[in-house]
Amino acid sequence: MSTSQRVFKLAGKVQHYAWGGESFIPALLNISNQEGKPYAEYWMGAHDNTPAELLLNNGKKMPLNTFIEQQPAEILGEKTANRFGRLPFLFKVLDVKDMLSIQVHPTKREAEKGFERENLAGIPLSAPQRNYKDDNHKPEIMVALSDFWLLHGFKHQPEIEKTLNEFPAFHPLIPDFKKYGFKELYRKLMKLPQQEIDLLLAPLAEE
């Protein structure tokens, strides 16, 4: 370790995704946001793309991932360092103003394979078509600080069938669902053009 300092202030990094709110994170950090920029996430971790920074007593800053890499066993503990080799989680504060996209998280093995595959293909980490930014599987724990709605997973097949039958707008989906199951139904819905999705949902909105 390059410093004898044992306690540090930690400066996280803001992610300005379009779905973010404009006031919660600026208020948390006591900063102005007069331009109304979206403040979606505040990262306080050691992710290689956006590491938080340690504020050293000498006035300098050091990325948290660099600091951990110097002596991982001492900083993380031997058990964590041997198993993960790095900080095994990313702490975030989120302010979600608009609906988020549907996300599918891979297993750890699939993440490692996908990350290696895209690296070998030469796809930059910042590329919009990149699926695997790192080799982690990203299990998540959420603690809601205010009212928050989260949809997780799928209903069981009989419940899906009940929903399709309950709403006339969904009746055209029933044959495909009975023939192929919910996996293909999901695939079909995700690939429908937005105009067709709007037509499908219009009767529900009217009701």
Side-chain angles (χ1 to χ4, degrees):
M1 193 182 304
S2 60
T3 175
S4 60
Q5 186 177 344
R6 307 302 297 178
V7 179
F8 303 84
K9 288 185 177 180
L10 190 65
K13 297 291 181 65
V14 174
Q15 303 285 9
H16 298 283
Y17 304 136
W19 49 261
E22 300 170 358
S23 59
F24 182 82
I25 292 178
L28 181 70
L29 302 178
N30 194 29
I31 57 178
S32 173
N33 186 26
Q34 294 182 351
E35 66 273 26
K37 195 172 183 179
Y39 279 67
E41 300 184 357
Y42 184 60
W43 288 22
M44 300 180 69
H47 195 287
D48 288 338
N49 291 345
T50 314
E53 292 181 322
L54 299 177
L55 307 181
L56 306 179
N57 285 338
N58 60 11
K60 295 182 179 180
K61 298 179 181 180
M62 179 182 294
L64 181 57
N65 57 338
T66 301
F67 181 71
I68 292 173
E69 287 168 1
Q70 292 180 354
Q71 293 190 36
E74 180 178 346
I75 297 166
L76 301 175
E78 286 191 12
K79 183 177 179 180
T80 300
N82 290 337
R83 181 176 178 184
F84 300 101
R86 55 189 169 187
L87 188 68
F89 65 88
L90 174 56
F91 179 83
K92 303 179 182 179
V93 178
L94 274 66
D95 181 15
V96 182
K97 182 183 70 173
D98 297 324
M99 186 164 52
L100 294 175
S101 60
I102 292 175
Q103 298 184 22
V104 179
H105 288 184
T107 63
K108 174 63 173 172
R109 180 61 187 141
E110 288 300 319
E112 291 171 347
K113 288 162 58 179
F115 184 66
E116 182 180 7
R117 182 171 62 250
E118 293 186 338
N119 282 344
L120 292 174
I123 303 174
L125 288 175
S126 59
Q129 73 272 23
R130 177 105 189 193
N131 287 317
Y132 297 90
K133 305 288 186 179
D134 55 55
D135 61 358
N136 280 319
H137 50 320
K138 300 177 180 61
E140 294 184 334
I141 297 175
M142 173 178 286
V143 179
L145 302 179
S146 63
D147 290 341
F148 194 91
W149 289 95
L150 177 69
L151 302 178
H152 177 262
F154 293 94
K155 290 182 177 181
H156 294 297
Q157 193 142 330
E159 294 174 305
I160 297 176
E161 187 169 0
K162 179 181 177 182
T163 299
L164 295 179
N165 283 298
E166 183 177 354
F167 297 98
F170 291 156
H171 286 179
L173 301 173
I174 293 175
D176 280 343
F177 176 70
K178 287 187 174 181
K179 185 174 182 180
Y180 302 111
F182 75 84
K183 182 177 180 180
E184 288 303 317
L185 175 67
Y186 175 79
R187 187 194 307 274
K188 178 178 179 179
L189 288 172
M190 289 298 102
K191 291 185 175 182
L192 278 179
Q194 187 60 49
Q195 186 176 6
E196 293 185 38
I197 290 289
D198 293 344
L199 289 173
L200 187 67
L201 296 179
L204 294 178
E206 292 173 3
E207 289 179 14

